Structures are given as C-alpha cells and as structure tokens.
C-alpha cells in the first residue's frame, strides 16, 4: 500500500490479505519543491520550520551533516549516471542527487539542477547497499 502526501510518500507491505500492514519505507520527494515550491509542504511543518526553497543543494546538505558528525557514503546505483546515491549507515537513510551528462543540462524554472537533492529514502539497509555495490561496482562521484 502506498500513500502520497505531496512531498512525503509512505509505503506499507503485508504477507497476505489476512496479515497486518507493516511500515516498509518512506520517501521525501524533494524534487517536487522545484515545481511547486514550499506550498507542497504541509502548513504545520512550514509554520514550525519556516520557508522551503525550491532547491536543496547536496553539497550544502552534506556539509551540514558532516558538521554534525553524520557522514554519508557514496553508493553505486542503477540510476547512474543521471543520479548519485549517498547513504548514511547509522540511520539507513539514502539521499539521491541529480547529476546529468552535460548534453542533458537545460536550466528551466522548475527543473532539477545538477547537484540538487532529488529524494531522501528510508530505510535502506546495509544488505541493499552491499547488493548495489556488487551489481553496479564503484560509484563515480
């Protein structure tokens, strides 16, 4: 089962129709900010945290996390070379960042920019990361 709440999406799974639903993962679709701006974010969240810009730059996010002692690892991903994936082992959260070939670069309002955070996913297990490393080899940063 999947529910879309604008920028946030939640997914649940169950083994059979008689089994209870279990939370599986959530995704923050950060790229939707570039199209709809902060109004896609729930009003109570905006009231608490303030304005949300149209773009979240990965380098800024990584710098803020590093200052707080939260390192990210590069992980190879099936979506390369258009995207890079970065993983935080302790939290099992991954950050997908837009990275395109130069010929794909078109900077129109509402489009992802190279270096923008595309999405944040939880939870991404160490086993999933190991499979990605095995299948896709080292990631080009």
């Amino acid at each position: 089962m999947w529910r879309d709440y604008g920028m946030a999406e939640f997914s649940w799974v169950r083994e059979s129709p008689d089994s209870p639903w279990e939370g599986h993962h959530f995704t923050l679709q950060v790229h939707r900010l570039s199209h709809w701006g902060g109004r896609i974010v729930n009003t109570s969240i905006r009231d608490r945290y303030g304005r949300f810009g149209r773009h979240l730059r990965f380098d800024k996010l990584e710098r803020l996390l590093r200052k707080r002692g939260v390192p990210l690892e590069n992980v190879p991903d099936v979506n390369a070379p258009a995207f890079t994936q970065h993983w935080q082992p302790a939290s099992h959260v991954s950050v997908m960042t837009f990275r395109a070939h130069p010929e794909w670069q078109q900077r129109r309002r509402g489009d992802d920019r190279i270096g923008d955070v595309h999405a944040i996913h939880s939870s991404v297990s160490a086993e999933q990361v190991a499979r990605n490393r095995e299948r896709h080899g080292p990631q080009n940063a």
Side-chain angles (χ1 to χ4, degrees):
M1 178 169 54
W2 166 76
R3 294 288 187 257
D4 183 344
Y5 296 97
M7 196 168 94
E9 296 177 353
F10 297 89
S11 294
W12 296 265
V13 296
R14 62 183 177 177
E15 291 183 23
S16 72
D18 298 327
S19 298
W21 289 102
E22 296 177 6
H24 186 265
H25 71 273
F26 72 85
T27 302
L28 298 176
Q29 299 288 1
V30 180
H31 64 96
R32 292 180 182 169
L33 287 168
S34 69
H35 299 283
W36 291 288
R39 69 181 180 271
I40 196 166
V41 179
N42 181 285
T43 304
S44 59
I45 293 174
R46 286 190 317 232
D47 290 346
R48 179 169 175 102
Y49 296 103
R51 186 181 86 71
F52 283 73
R54 288 188 174 271
H55 300 275
L56 173 58
R57 302 296 299 167
F58 175 72
D59 56 349
K60 180 179 179 179
L61 175 63
E62 184 180 39
R63 188 173 50 253
L64 291 169
L65 290 172
R66 197 177 322 113
K67 277 184 171 179
R68 289 170 173 80
V70 181
L72 294 173
E73 296 179 9
N74 291 338
V75 177
D77 188 79
V78 69
N79 297 299
F83 295 91
T84 60
Q85 182 180 3
H86 314 275
W87 181 63
Q88 210 297 307
S91 65
H92 290 194
V93 170
S94 76
V95 177
M96 184 166 281
T97 303
F98 184 66
R99 178 185 80 176
H101 291 297
E103 63 268 18
W104 297 345
Q105 292 181 32
Q106 292 183 341
R107 301 242 178 164
R108 297 184 311 260
R109 181 178 170 93
D111 282 353
D112 287 324
R113 297 179 187 166
I114 292 172
D116 281 355
V117 171
H118 185 75
I120 299 172
H121 307 279
S122 182
S123 89
V124 177
S125 70
E127 292 80 15
Q128 288 171 286
V129 170
R131 277 194 306 274
N132 275 9
R133 287 183 171 141
E134 186 177 308
R135 286 180 186 154
H136 307 296
Q139 174 171 315
N140 301 326

